Amino acid sequence: MTQETAIKTVTVDLGDRTYPILIRRNLLETTGALIAAQVPGSRVVIITDETVADLHLGTLQTSLRAAAIEYDTLTVPAGEKTKRFEIFERLVDDILALRLERGDAVLALGGGVVGDLSGFVSGVVRRGMKFIQVPTTLLSQVDSSVGGKTGINSRHGKNLIGVFHQPSLVVADTAILDTLSDREFRAGYAEVAKYGLINDAPFFTWLEDNHSAIFAGGEERDEAVAHSCRAKAAVVAADEREAGQRALLNLGHTFGHALEGAVAYDSARLVHGEGVSIGMVMAFEFSARLNLCAPEDAVRVENHLKTVGLPTRISQIPGQLPPLETFMDLIAQDKKVSRGQLTFILARGIGQSFQEKAVDPAPLRDFLEEQLA
Ligand code: NAD
Ligand code: MG
């Protein structure tokens, strides 16, 4: 028998809304007990998607019954299209029909889609119910479940409708990631690597040495999730509403979002983390081009992302891509543009990212033209 390792706890420090993120393998089995301790007296409504329900819902329900917690379950289709008004409305209606009260909790069992949607629902029903997150993708464990941003998409764009609503508890079971596809796991890993590249060079070096164990599900995976949550929590605690340094979390995202836009968000061609991977390599190469960072650093970033199997080049995206001008437009439309100035997260080296608020469009155009060639 393997020995049980201790639960890792990351505290997100937000005054009277401070909450813990608990991390370890097989925590799903004890989620009921964790809720009873942390959010006592609440009835629970589980929101999950069909894929996750087939794999993990039974385990969660058993643990709630073991802790004598009353629950109901609402299931939505898997996929980004689920983050829309019709489904949001149906969930709100179902929860009201169940006669849940303000002190009751919405529990999100799923990836970022279920988390964002459920968080929004919990933020507005009865002006705010309790919210518990059980993130089931690597991306949701290290990124979307930390920070309190919730929401749905509009036909005008992604994540345009929502509220800030912090959970009371996050339970990150790292064994749950064993059922995730390699592609989805890698996509989440791009965001893990991002934390090293932003401001933590020793963490990036540690990832270069330990990525195999992280992918295999060793204790290093727990450590990588905990470290990433700590990194995001620190930024969020300092800048909850994205006034300043939270922008660094967008490293690789301006290029990445343009690439996602260029394939019309077709996840068969590119998922978000893959766009971020290519985008981070581009941010480092562009920084090197501007003589801000050593070219060797850009090579090192690319080598590591390549080693774990992430795409690092635009040419790896299957199918036809739009012309240069479309990319320039997509970049100009990115929400990181303020008052007509092009804002990018650039780097002086690994772990030395910074926000550049007035990027000159001329070298950017030349750089993009080469990348698209
Ligand atoms: P997702 O929720 O769509 O999950 C990806 C796929 O994996 C889905 O098909 C899902 O059914 C499946 N899945 C989930 N867990 C599984 C498991 N354990 N085993 C097998 N399959 C599993 O996508 P995601 O990548 O987790 O999240 C993306 C969403 O997160 C986007 O909508 C994005 O906007 C949002 N996001 C939000 C924030 C935030 O701060 N709120 C930050 C980053 C991303
Ligand atoms: Mg991201």
Side-chain angles (χ1 to χ4, degrees), residues 285-352:
E285 282 196 353
F286 187 48
S287 299
R289 176 67 53 90
L290 298 175
N291 290 320
L292 292 163
C293 111
E296 297 76 44
D297 281 339
V299 171
R300 196 176 146 198
V301 173
E302 175 166 23
N303 282 344
H304 180 56
L305 297 172
K306 241 194 215 162
T307 301
V308 303
L310 279 161
T312 55
R313 294 278 147 191
I314 295 181
S315 57
Q316 288 171 274
I317 302 171
Q320 192 77 33
L321 286 171
L324 175 64
E325 284 319 312
T326 310
F327 273 98
M328 291 300 288
D329 285 347
L330 285 164
I331 285 171
Q333 276 164 25
D334 196 73
K335 63 176 184 288
K336 263 66 77 183
V337 175
S338 67
R339 297 180 199 287
Q341 299 266 58
L342 285 172
T343 298
F344 273 83
I345 308 305
L346 297 177
R348 295 198 174 84
I350 286 169
Q352 297 175 61

Side-chain angles (χ1 to χ4, degrees), residues 225-244:
V225 170
H227 197 99
S228 301
C229 289
R230 249 179 259 125
K232 185 161 179 189
V235 174
V236 168
D239 183 14
E240 191 183 357
R241 302 264 164 157
E242 197 157 14

Side-chain angles (χ1 to χ4, degrees), residues 3 5 74 89 103 169 180 216 224 282 296 371:
Q3 220 174 336
T5 52
L74 303 173
E89 184 180 6
L169 170 68
L180 202 59
M282 289 174 75
E296 297 76 44
Q371 298 278 320

Side-chain angles (χ1 to χ4, degrees), residues 49-52 55-56 78-80 83 110-116 135-140 143-151 153 158-159 176-181 184 187 191 232 246 272:
D49 75 32
E50 283 156 5
T51 305
V52 177
L55 294 164
H56 302 293
E80 185 70 30
K83 275 173 60 172
V113 164
V114 165
D116 280 11
T136 65
T137 61
L138 180 57
L139 180 126
S140 58
D143 189 352
S144 61
S145 70
V146 189
K149 282 190 187 175
T150 75
N153 304 322
K158 275 195 68 175
N159 298 327
I176 234 175
L177 307 180
D178 293 346
T179 59
L180 202 59
S181 70
E184 290 290 353
E191 302 280 6
K232 185 161 179 189
R246 196 163 170 163
H272 175 73

Side-chain angles (χ1 to χ4, degrees), residues 104-120:
D104 293 330
V106 172
L107 186 158
L109 174 71
V113 164
V114 165
D116 280 11
L117 172 69
S118 312
F120 184 33

